[in-house]
Amino acid sequence: MNAVSELRVMAYTADGLLDANPAYVEALRLLGTDGRGEILVAADEEQRLLGTIMFEPWSAESEIARNADEAEIRAFAVAPEARGRGVGRDLVNALVERAREEGVTRLLLSTLPEMVSAQYVYRARGFERVPERDWTPMPGVTLLAYELVVKD
C-alpha cells in the first residue's frame, strides 16, 4: 500500500492539486486502507507502479454515491512519467469493468476543476457532468461531479 500512497501524493503534488488543501495528503494516503474500497494498479514490465485508481462501492460514508446500485471512483493518479501512454484510460476502463461485475448501474466521481487531464479521460470513456451532485468539502474548494451509467 505504501507505493500506492506515495504515487498518489507524488502525482497530486506534481499537478499542484494539494495546494488548496495540504491536509488532504493524509486522506489520500489512507484511502482504501479501511477495506471499503478496492485499489487497482497499473505497472510496467519491471513492476514499476505507473498508476492507480480506487473502486469504492456505496456505503454510509460515500461522498456522492447515494444508494447500493452506485459506486465511486476515488484517488485516480498516474505517475507524471507515465502520462500520455494510455495508463489512465486503461485504469478507468478496468474500474468500469469492475463496477459492471459488481452490478453497479451508476459510477460517480468528484474532481477538482483544475484536474483537466483526468476529466479528459473520464469524458472520453463516456462520463458526463452531473452538476446537481457537485459539492464543497471545505470553503473555497468545489468538486465537480461526473457519472457513467454502466450498461451490461
Side-chain angles (χ1 to χ4, degrees):
M1 184 63 189
N2 192 31
V4 168
S5 297
E6 293 311 310
L7 173 70
R8 289 174 181 166
V9 172
M10 176 187 58
Y12 278 58
T13 300
D15 292 339
L17 300 173
L18 298 171
D19 296 348
N21 183 10
Y24 187 63
V25 167
E26 197 54 32
L28 196 57
R29 287 183 196 280
L30 293 175
L31 276 169
T33 61
D34 61 2
R36 278 198 341 237
E38 183 177 332
I39 298 166
L40 286 72
V41 298
D44 64 12
E45 309 78 42
E46 287 83 42
Q47 298 305 307
R48 287 184 302 239
L49 193 58
L50 302 177
T52 182
I53 196 168
M54 189 174 123
F55 171 74
E56 188 172 76
W58 174 82
S59 73
E61 292 82 29
S62 292
E63 291 181 339
I64 60 174
R66 295 182 179 153
N67 56 58
D69 69 336
E70 296 182 347
E72 296 180 12
I73 290 178
R74 304 285 308 272
F76 178 39
V78 175
E81 67 275 9
R83 293 179 184 172
R85 297 171 30 194
V87 172
R89 178 198 61 225
D90 292 347
L91 283 167
V92 170
N93 286 339
L95 194 139
V96 170
E97 186 55 38
R98 186 75 190 99
R100 184 176 286 118
E101 290 168 3
E102 290 296 316
V104 168
T105 59
R106 187 166 309 224
L107 195 51
L108 298 130
L109 62 96
S110 297
T111 182
L112 288 165
E114 53 269 31
M115 293 174 134
V116 177
S117 296
Q119 291 167 32
Y120 174 82
V121 173
Y122 299 138
R123 284 191 311 272
R125 183 57 181 84
F127 282 81
E128 296 180 357
R129 283 276 292 121
V130 283
E132 64 273 15
R133 293 208 193 186
D134 289 357
W135 63 292
T136 303
M138 61 183 279
V141 177
T142 297
L143 296 174
L144 308 177
Y146 282 79
E147 75 173 6
L148 176 72
V149 176
V150 180
K151 298 179 172 101
D152 288 332

